[in-house]
Amino acid sequence: MTALLRVRHLSTSFQTEAGLVRAVDDVSFDLAEGETLGLVGESGSGKTVTALSILRLIPQPPGAFGPESRIEYDGVDLLRLPSRELRKVRGAQIAMIFQEPMSSLNPVLTVGSQISEAIRAHEPVSRKEANDRAVELLDLVGIPEPGRRFRDYPHQMSGGMQQRVMIGMALSCRPKILIADEPTTALDVTIQAQILDLLLELKERFAMSVLFITHDLGVLAGVADRVAVMYGGSIVEQGPVRAVFEQPAHPYTRGLLHAVPRVDRPSDRIEGIPGSVPTATAWPSGCRFHPRCSECMKRCEVDAPPSYSAGTDHTARCWLLDQSEGQRQ
Amino acid sequence: MSESSPGPLVAIENLVKHFPASTRLFARPSYLKAVDGVTLSLDRGETVALVGESGSGKTTLGRCVLRLTEPTSGTIWFDGTDVLALGSADMRALRRRMQIVFQDPAGSLNPRMAVGTAVREPLEVHRIARGKAARDRVADLFEEVGLDPSLTSRFPHELSGGQKQRVGIARALSIEPEFLVLDEPVSALDVSVQAQVVNLLTDLQRSRNLTYLFIAHDLAVVRHVATRVAVMYLGRIVERARVVPLYDRPLHPYTASLLSAVPVPDPTVKRKRIVLAGEIPSPRNPPPGCPFHTRCPHPLKDARCTTDEPALRELQPDRWVACHYAENPMEKPAP
Ligand SMILES: Nc1ncnc2c1ncn2[C@@H]1O[C@H](COP(=O)(O)OP(=O)(O)OP(=O)(O)O)[C@@H](O)[C@H]1O
Ligand SMILES: Nc1ncnc2c1ncn2[C@@H]1O[C@H](COP(=O)(O)OP(=O)(O)OP(=O)(O)O)[C@@H](O)[C@H]1O
Ligand code: SF4
Ligand SMILES: [Mg+2]
Ligand SMILES: [Mg+2]
């Protein structure tokens, strides 16, 4: 499979009153054609900042990209593309469903007119044509009576319906890549199941690649072909979904998998990971997971581990994987 | 501990809470039936979980039990006392024995109050301890919930979500209640921290013989902590059972659908989901007959479901179901 999107050494930081916040640090991954890559991690691990960086939606300042950072789409580096060119990619080639539907929908415009505007921003069509397409899209994403709901304001819709509108809007220009940032997090499981089915169906139908962001390992297992696990601003493990779930190579991934109770089998005691999730204003030294890691070694406290192979197409950033002489202690 | 009566610690009978909901001026007064005839009991030391979609009435029920919301009708027995018949002085005394931990760890703490003071406050309000004795008690409580006692002088914004939730638990425990309503106590927490808080609640329950009404969205967590489960839909309980039989063989189609919709963190398990059509109807205007009939996937569903409301029936010992066709439950989708 060829990579449609290649993210290389992405570092995104913010200048704040509390100092430099290194939200995303040296993140690299590929998104292949037709593939769903699941980006999983706990709050503050840098998932949303990674997604926003891909579309260059990071305000600069206070945000800044590291000099090594590259986002290659279709052979061009989006981070170095002139804004006018970038606007042709955004929405039309790469579209995003934002984490909070309510805050990304305009409360004073009807949902129909918002979709219609999104279409007209990219294509030279008449208002009438755009409106018709918007109604079609509402229908496509399973909104009953789309002609009537076209005139609804966002607050008149349930969370599930708002999320459908967001999906419809994201698909309005038939993007090649869909970035979905926690598209089901605020929803009940019954509605989550509907939205996941809808996303999978549309993905197949329009042959899209999807970057699916979630903190839910269950959702991840159901949608992803490959997964990337984020912790403390970097990807600590990535690989095919089965390899990562069955042979997790990073202690953090192992810890997370033990920490989730399962609905399909009884369990005695789930084991949490001691300590708390670090924040970007004060990352721990060395391996950022070391204060919570049960297998922490001396060097973990000082040196950040590089990425090691953990199998076919499977890598992890952990000193336990260092095979070189005299390094295991 | 006071002398206790035999039987359940808490018994809720036919509890109803209707909120006024007339939307238009001059419209006939209408009611939103948030809780509509719930019967439920909790034995000492057990965890009864309340599950169901958003808006099904879980929080309202929990608040009614503590009389933080005044029920419209029904009866609540706490250790043999008729709670709704109590005057305010007696109620205040009873409040010591029942507490609530709120869903949102941040929103339930005063942002301008040091967290140690927040935990000490109930001790002073209920005249249990003051001064140094109270401060020592707070330090002990912090340790019991796994917080470093040096954190007492911190303010809520200086703590992580998990730490704030522990403060909320310490505060609720400070006056040594016997019964806790836990309203989504771990929903706002990260997975790795959620497990710690779940284990803490389980340990505290064992060491203090606490009784929990555990309100939750996450059916996997519920399977893990609950003794019994009550499934709510539109203000009513549609199924109530012990945890093992409920998860192994749900008898109500709503329970079956809910359980099948929970994703499993295992890519080799391809679960067949029952995907419910549509959304939960508004409790302002619940459907006639079986409240679930508009979304029910049961193959036997028929005209009767749209006109006759199924009663909550005891099909097996300690196993209550409100479905006309509960004797023929839907097949569990093959895993
Ligand atoms: N504009 C900004 N200015 C300063 N810091 C920021 C900004 N945006 C994000 N951050 C910080 O970057 C870090 C990563 O945030 P991000 O939103 O990517 O996390 P996330 O993994 O998406 O978390 P969640 O699961 O809670 O959505 C956080 O510590 C956040 O506070
Ligand atoms: N004070 C109130 N006044 C009017 N209606 C209310 C009030 N409190 C709750 N309701 C309504 O009662 C119904 C039940 O709400 P409740 O908060 O108990 O549901 P829930 O099951 O706890 O939902 P969630 O899972 O979203 O927390 C909802 O329709 C809600 O809008
Ligand atoms: S009574 Fe009818 S509509 Fe209600 S749950 Fe049973 S089969 Fe479904
Ligand atoms: Mg995010
Ligand atoms: Mg609630």
Side-chain angles (χ1 to χ4, degrees):
Chain A
M1 274 198 284
T2 46
L4 194 57
L5 181 77
R6 296 153 73 95
V7 175
R8 289 291 177 275
H9 309 294
L10 175 69
S11 297
T12 311
S13 55
F14 297 94
Q15 198 65 58
T16 69
E17 280 173 26
L20 192 69
V21 173
R22 301 179 57 178
V24 168
D25 196 5
D26 195 17
V27 158
S28 298
F29 62 84
D30 285 354
L31 180 64
E33 235 162 271
E35 157 182 89
T36 298
L37 175 68
L39 191 59
V40 69
E42 295 176 281
S43 67
S45 58
K47 304 180 297 297
T48 296
V49 171
T50 299
L52 295 175
S53 299
I54 292 172
L55 287 171
R56 231 163 87 192
L57 289 172
I58 300 286
Q60 304 177 65
F65 298 111
E68 310 274 274
S69 309
R70 279 183 326 201
I71 310 271
E72 289 169 19
Y73 171 73
D74 212 8
V76 292
D77 183 356
L78 299 185
L79 292 183
R80 286 162 186 85
L81 206 61
S83 314
R84 227 161 38 98
E85 299 291 310
L86 182 68
R87 271 199 293 274
K88 291 187 196 150
V89 175
R90 240 186 237 157
Q93 307 284 322
I94 308 179
M96 178 155 173
I97 303 171
F98 294 93
Q99 188 162 357
E100 289 149 24
M102 247 339 239
S103 63
S104 35
L105 287 171
N106 187 333
V108 301
L109 295 178
T110 64
V111 295
S113 62
Q114 294 187 55
I115 300 181
S116 174
E117 278 312 306
I119 296 170
R120 274 160 59 91
H122 289 283
E123 287 173 51
V125 292
S126 71
R127 181 171 305 274
K128 169 86 178 63
E129 283 169 298
N131 285 354
D132 290 347
R133 285 253 303 269
V135 173
E136 272 171 43
L137 279 163
L138 289 174
D139 188 39
L140 177 78
V141 295
I143 291 184
E145 301 182 72
R148 194 170 66 77
R149 301 313 291 259
F150 180 96
R151 290 188 296 274
D152 276 4
Y153 290 91
H155 70 88
Q156 292 171 295
M157 298 189 139
S158 67
M161 287 297 159
Q162 289 171 5
Q163 201 53 278
R164 288 175 191 269
V165 169
M166 294 298 299
I167 294 170
M169 194 137 60
L171 297 186
S172 60
C173 295
R174 300 279 158 87
K176 293 239 169 48
I177 296 177
L178 179 66
I179 301 176
D181 191 0
E182 311 244 16
T184 61
T185 299
L187 306 175
D188 279 310
V189 285
T190 51
I191 308 299
Q192 166 168 284
Q194 295 174 359
I195 298 288
L196 290 177
D197 277 5
L198 175 70
L199 278 171
L200 287 177
E201 182 203 319
L202 294 173
K203 182 207 134 150
E204 293 302 322
R205 185 144 153 203
F206 299 120
M208 289 184 291
S209 304
V210 179
L211 178 64
F212 193 105
I213 298 178
T214 178
H215 67 268
D216 185 324
L217 291 163
V219 170
L220 182 77
V223 302
D225 302 311
R226 300 182 71 253
V227 301
V229 183
M230 279 195 95
Y231 187 83
S234 45
I235 292 179
V236 295
E237 176 158 8
Q238 62 176 309
V241 65
R242 281 188 69 159
V244 172
F245 276 79
E246 282 168 18
Q247 289 122 25
H250 198 284
Y252 173 63
T253 315
R254 285 198 283 272
L256 263 191
L257 286 167
H258 284 300
V260 267
R262 290 178 59 149
V263 78
D264 60 337
R265 57 170 79 143
S267 51
D268 269 348
R269 199 176 170 82
I270 42 175
E271 287 309 323
I273 304 177
S276 55
V277 180
T279 51
T281 39
W283 295 135
S285 62
C287 168
R288 287 173 185 171
F289 185 58
H290 90 256
R292 305 176 73 192
C293 182
S294 59
E295 295 165 80
C296 177
M297 304 170 289
K298 263 256 126 25
R299 64 196 299 199
C300 307
E301 296 166 20
V302 248
D303 296 323
S307 183
Y308 289 106
S309 169
T312 317
D313 186 28
H314 185 178
T315 57
R317 282 180 187 244
C318 171
W319 288 120
L320 291 169
L321 294 167
D322 183 5
Q323 302 290 336
S324 60
E325 199 112 355
Q327 289 303 333
R328 302 292 301 263
Q329 354 185 305
Chain B
M1 207 178 273
S2 58
E3 202 166 317
S4 48
S5 61
L9 180 64
V10 182
I12 302 160
E13 288 168 10
N14 217 353
L15 197 85
V16 171
K17 176 64 193 180
H18 290 178
F19 291 108
S22 60
T23 39
R24 273 169 294 130
L25 206 60
F26 308 124
R28 264 187 304 134
S30 68
Y31 294 96
L32 184 157
K33 299 173 176 177
V35 174
D36 204 19
V38 163
T39 296
L40 184 68
S41 68
L42 295 95
D43 290 336
R44 241 168 255 280
E46 80 164 334
T47 299
V48 174
L50 216 48
V51 304
E53 283 166 286
S54 180
S56 55
K58 307 179 296 294
T59 296
T60 305
L61 177 60
R63 292 179 58 93
C64 281
V65 176
L66 301 192
R67 269 180 92 181
L68 298 172
T69 295
E70 202 59 31
T72 306
S73 64
T75 317
I76 298 162
W77 300 97
F78 184 89
D79 199 8
T81 305
D82 181 350
V83 176
L84 297 179
L86 293 180
S88 57
D90 290 333
M91 192 60 221
R92 212 171 312 125
L94 191 64
R95 281 255 157 75
R96 269 193 62 178
R97 301 174 63 189
M98 37 206 236
Q99 288 289 304
I100 184 163
V101 175
F102 295 99
Q103 163 165 11
D104 174 15
S108 56
L109 292 169
N110 179 344
R112 278 180 289 278
M113 188 187 276
V115 293
T117 316
V119 175
R120 201 174 68 217
E121 199 180 49
L123 292 172
E124 288 171 352
V125 169
H126 289 279
R127 311 225 175 88
I128 294 167
R130 11 195 318 225
K132 176 154 182 350
R135 281 196 301 278
D136 287 349
R137 189 80 176 267
V138 170
D140 289 346
L141 282 162
F142 266 56
E143 267 178 52
E144 194 171 355
V145 299
L147 287 171
D148 193 305
S150 71
L151 295 177
T152 48
S153 57
R154 300 266 191 104
F155 288 86
H157 74 267
E158 298 172 298
L159 299 181
S160 71
Q163 288 173 325
K164 277 184 282 224
Q165 195 55 289
R166 285 164 200 260
V167 171
I169 294 168
R171 182 178 152 96
L173 287 178
S174 63
I175 55 176
E176 307 210 343
E178 293 148 64
F179 171 59
L180 282 179
V181 173
L182 301 164
D183 193 357
E184 314 248 9
V186 296
S187 306
L189 305 179
D190 279 307
V191 206
S192 69
V193 178
Q194 165 182 302
Q196 299 169 16
V197 175
V198 165
N199 289 339
L200 168 68
L201 289 169
T202 319
D203 293 344
L204 288 169
Q205 178 169 50
R206 287 209 188 104
S207 63
R208 293 174 166 228
N209 195 31
L210 294 169
T211 307
Y212 292 153
L213 181 62
F214 191 99
I215 298 173
H217 266 108
D218 185 333
L219 286 127
V221 171
V222 165
R223 171 164 209 167
H224 188 78
V225 300
T227 343
R228 290 189 297 147
V229 183
V231 182
M232 283 188 82
Y233 192 77
L234 283 176
R236 276 163 268 203
I237 290 179
V238 296
E239 180 159 9
R240 212 175 73 202
R242 301 194 68 79
V243 69
V244 174
L246 186 100
Y247 279 73
D248 282 352
R249 191 152 197 255
L251 296 183
H252 196 286
Y254 181 58
T255 316
S257 313
L258 270 186
L259 287 174
S260 82
V262 182
V264 169
D266 183 343
T268 58
V269 177
K270 289 279 172 259
R271 299 179 87 216
K272 279 260 289 292
R273 288 184 310 218
I274 307 168
V275 177
L276 284 183
E279 304 188 351
I280 192 166
S282 161
R284 280 167 209 275
N285 195 7
C290 172
F292 186 54
H293 86 257
T294 55
R295 301 166 81 195
C296 180
H298 200 298
L300 294 177
K301 181 175 78 169
D302 57 14
R304 178 179 169 209
C305 302
T306 64
T307 50
D308 301 355
E309 182 173 349
L312 188 64
R313 300 177 287 144
E314 188 168 24
L315 258 79
Q316 296 154 18
D318 209 6
R319 181 100 210 237
W320 297 73
V321 192
C323 167
H324 294 308
Y325 298 106
E327 281 82 359
N328 306 296
M330 286 176 66
E331 282 306 309
K332 204 176 179 179

